[in-house]
Amino acid sequence: MTIEEIIGLVSGLDGVLTLTPGPGDEWPELSWGDAFFYYSPDGVVPANVQPFATIVTKNYPGDETSRLDRPDTFRLNIHAGKKEFARRLGDDPAGTDTLIAHPVYGNAGWLAVVNPASNTEPVTRELLETAYRLARTRYERRADR
């Protein structure tokens, strides 16, 4: 799976806002080239809400274990919830095409895949759908208050 394929897949889900920061916009330079997916049917980045999935293309401070400084390397992060997290884990944070606990946010139910490909594509698609459904449910629950 390429970054573009993942963005196309997730952006095609109903109510998804895809944020792809770049030069000249309001987002920090560190985030340029990455992608953030929110459930936001009104098209506005929600306040005080984490994205349900992200694509990162570089190491962030304190998050270097996936070695994203290698050429053509990115990591897809999916907040699929603690239930899915408990069901599926990998153990090499730098291994490619392997489902792993997110190196920093794993304890919050985040899973990750460095350079998802044929080995992890089916589970990646399934987990993105799960994360999307969870984000949509949280949004609807907040809207009902």
Side-chain angles (χ1 to χ4, degrees):
M1 299 179 83
T2 66
I3 291 173
E4 294 77 19
E5 288 172 332
I6 295 166
I7 290 173
L9 174 70
V10 179
S11 295
L13 298 170
D14 184 51
V16 169
L17 170 66
T18 302
L19 178 66
T20 53
D25 62 26
E26 62 186 281
W27 309 109
E29 184 175 347
L30 180 61
S31 66
W32 295 358
D34 297 342
F36 305 86
F37 304 99
Y38 297 89
Y39 181 76
S40 180
D42 61 4
V44 176
V45 177
N48 302 317
V49 173
Q50 293 292 320
F52 68 85
T54 66
I55 298 171
V56 292
T57 59
K58 67 197 80 57
N59 292 329
Y60 276 67
D63 182 8
E64 297 89 12
T65 58
S66 293
R67 298 180 29 235
L68 299 178
D69 53 350
R70 296 174 285 170
D72 301 317
T73 303
F74 68 95
R75 187 178 68 218
L76 172 62
N77 305 303
I78 306 168
H79 187 221
K82 291 185 179 185
K83 183 177 177 182
E84 285 298 314
F85 178 86
R87 285 185 51 212
R88 315 167 189 258
L89 288 180
D91 59 2
D92 181 1
T96 60
D97 198 23
T98 302
L99 188 66
I100 60 170
H102 185 284
V104 176
Y105 301 109
N107 63 351
W110 282 81
L111 296 164
V113 182
V114 175
N115 289 3
S118 60
N119 189 45
T120 54
E121 184 172 352
V123 70
T124 296
R125 289 175 179 275
E126 182 182 325
L127 289 169
L128 285 167
E129 285 282 341
T130 298
Y132 165 77
R133 283 193 310 275
L134 290 172
R136 185 176 183 154
T137 299
R138 284 189 299 271
Y139 176 92
E140 290 168 350
R141 205 172 35 238
R142 283 190 308 276
D144 289 340
R145 289 186 202 169

